[in-house]
Amino acid sequence: MYDCGRIAIIGGGSWATAIAKIVVGKTHHIGWYMRRDDRIDDFRRLGHNPAYLQSVRFDINEIFFSSDLNKIAEQYDTLVFVTPSPYLKSHLKKLKTRLRDKYIVTAIKGIVPDENLVCSEYFHQVYDVPYDNLACIGGPSHAEEVALERLSYLTIGCANREKAQSFADILSSPFIKTKTSTDVIGIEYSSVLKNVYAIAAGICNGLKFGDNFQAVLMANAVQEMARFLKVIHPLERNIADSVYMGDLLVTGYSNFSRNRTFGTMIGKGYSVKSAQIEMEMIAEGYFGTKCMKEINKHCHVNMPILDAVYNILYERISPQIEIKLLTDSFR
């Protein structure tokens, strides 16, 4: 069995904190890169992340903190990236350490802006990391529920099944069920699309559409996702698996979903900027919508929900008008 070696978490948000809780509970040591020294100092003093999931307590003696990404990358074998996708490039610009021989795990449910690449493709093309050394974490997994130790199901994707299973074993616990997959690209794109569809669900919620329509919206979103995945990465997959449809449903329906919350504010009449300011958290789907629109220009997949969300967020078309056109296309 492959040995993941020493594991480090890259990122300081809620999902990074939840994953750190799982990993350190199994390994009793992690490295943890956080950008801000003041956050690290507060974490050491308080015994918990001062900004996210503050109820989750850590044994500080089991964590090596650093705001120096190179120091972390040099000392650890497996690097788990959990930064917002819009900031991944800026973090990596500081990196001088060679990544090719590291095991890179991405828990980033977004696309690298400007590059229009999912994270595994970005690490492969820009940092020459072999696909056998690239993994992703997918599935319905709100950080808040993982932190509360509510039963969750995660899928680890990697071209190398042995490496996928090794990391899955580390995440496995009485409240985390894991399985593996080789569909890294499909998992990553579905993770991007489900955020876009959650924004659509939120917009419709803000417009006072009811549960009946939300169910129709989600059913059409599943079909739209399946059409795109079949074109972008054709292989045999079951779109009803939890890593695809399950993640879509929890993000579209849950009150923990920041993308749904962002969409609800848009539906209620907030501008994009005012919604972003009030949330104080990043809705990955906002950036993912634009990236997916650009990618689909080359794929030519019929994606009316993606188009509607793009028109509302970037073309400033009235949500009432755009959603009315969308509803007329559903059956």
Side-chain angles (χ1 to χ4, degrees):
M1 177 63 73
Y2 176 77
D3 183 358
C4 291
R6 285 159 59 87
I7 300 173
I9 310 298
I10 314 297
S14 56
W15 190 213
T17 304
I19 292 175
K21 169 191 167 80
I22 301 169
V23 174
V24 78
K26 187 68 68 78
T27 65
H28 300 290
H29 177 82
I30 56 171
W32 199 338
Y33 165 79
M34 289 187 179
R35 180 175 55 89
R36 291 171 50 178
D37 285 313
D38 61 326
R39 287 275 171 86
I40 292 175
D41 292 340
D42 287 342
F43 204 134
R44 287 195 179 109
R45 177 172 55 84
L46 298 169
H48 63 76
N49 190 326
Y52 301 95
L53 302 184
Q54 297 177 15
S55 64
V56 179
R57 309 294 300 188
F58 289 86
D59 181 348
I60 301 304
N61 296 318
E62 296 182 336
I63 304 173
F64 172 72
F65 289 104
S66 180
S67 61
D68 185 340
L69 183 56
N70 284 288
K71 185 180 291 186
I72 291 288
E74 287 167 4
Q75 296 183 23
Y76 290 85
D77 309 295
T78 295
L79 306 178
V80 185
F81 283 83
V82 208
T83 62
S85 58
Y87 303 146
L88 180 62
K89 282 177 69 174
S90 61
H91 285 300
L92 289 173
K93 280 180 181 177
K94 310 167 189 173
L95 194 64
K96 296 180 176 63
T97 305
R98 176 184 170 94
L99 291 181
R100 179 176 173 79
D101 299 323
K102 303 291 182 180
Y103 185 27
I104 305 295
V105 181
T106 74
I108 302 171
K109 298 188 175 184
I111 287 183
V112 182
D114 302 325
E115 306 295 333
N116 288 341
L117 295 170
V118 289
C119 294
S120 65
E121 292 176 317
Y122 184 71
F123 278 109
H124 179 71
Q125 293 185 22
V126 178
Y127 292 91
D128 198 31
V129 180
Y131 281 119
D132 266 13
N133 285 357
L134 287 166
C136 67
I137 302 174
S141 49
H142 284 312
E144 294 82 357
E145 293 203 350
V146 172
L148 291 169
E149 299 190 0
R150 292 179 177 171
L151 184 61
S152 301
Y153 290 69
L154 298 178
T155 298
I156 311 306
C158 184
N160 185 311
R161 283 277 194 184
E162 185 179 347
K163 290 183 178 180
Q165 188 60 57
S166 180
F167 195 74
D169 290 344
I170 288 170
L171 295 184
S172 181
S173 75
F175 62 93
I176 298 289
K177 306 293 185 184
T178 61
K179 67 176 184 177
T180 64
S181 168
T182 56
D183 186 19
V184 179
I185 301 297
I187 291 170
E188 288 186 292
Y189 272 110
S190 68
S191 295
V192 176
L193 283 170
K194 59 97 180 182
N195 286 333
V196 177
Y197 301 142
I199 291 176
I203 291 171
C204 293
N205 180 55
L207 292 171
K208 303 297 184 184
F209 282 83
D211 291 345
N212 293 341
F213 177 74
Q214 291 282 358
V216 174
L217 174 66
M218 289 294 102
N220 278 268
V222 171
Q223 296 172 56
E224 185 169 305
M225 177 186 288
R227 288 196 299 271
F228 180 81
L229 294 183
K230 187 175 182 179
V231 170
I232 198 73
H233 190 53
L235 53 74
E236 193 72 28
R237 65 172 63 84
N238 183 357
I239 200 68
D241 279 354
S242 63
V243 73
Y244 309 111
M245 190 164 71
D247 201 9
L248 166 64
L249 293 176
V250 76
T251 312
Y253 282 117
S254 175
N255 290 328
F256 283 131
S257 170
R258 64 188 68 175
N259 289 283
R260 177 183 166 88
T261 300
F262 175 72
T264 298
M265 296 171 75
I266 299 297
K268 288 181 176 180
Y270 283 73
S271 68
V272 168
K273 187 173 183 179
S274 61
Q276 290 173 325
I277 291 171
E278 185 159 324
M279 281 185 63
E280 296 182 346
M281 297 178 78
I282 291 176
E284 293 261 17
Y286 170 72
F287 303 96
T289 297
K290 185 176 182 180
C291 294
M292 289 303 307
K293 181 73 172 177
E294 291 294 321
I295 292 168
N296 197 40
K297 287 180 180 178
H298 306 286
C299 297
H300 309 292
V301 179
N302 178 31
M303 304 186 75
I305 304 174
L306 169 67
D307 293 341
V309 175
Y310 178 85
N311 289 339
I312 292 168
L313 298 183
Y314 289 93
E315 300 294 342
R316 298 184 180 180
I317 295 177
S318 162
Q320 290 89 343
I321 294 172
E322 193 63 40
I323 297 300
K324 174 64 169 63
L325 293 172
L326 185 63
T327 61
D328 289 342
S329 72
F330 291 165
R331 292 293 181 269

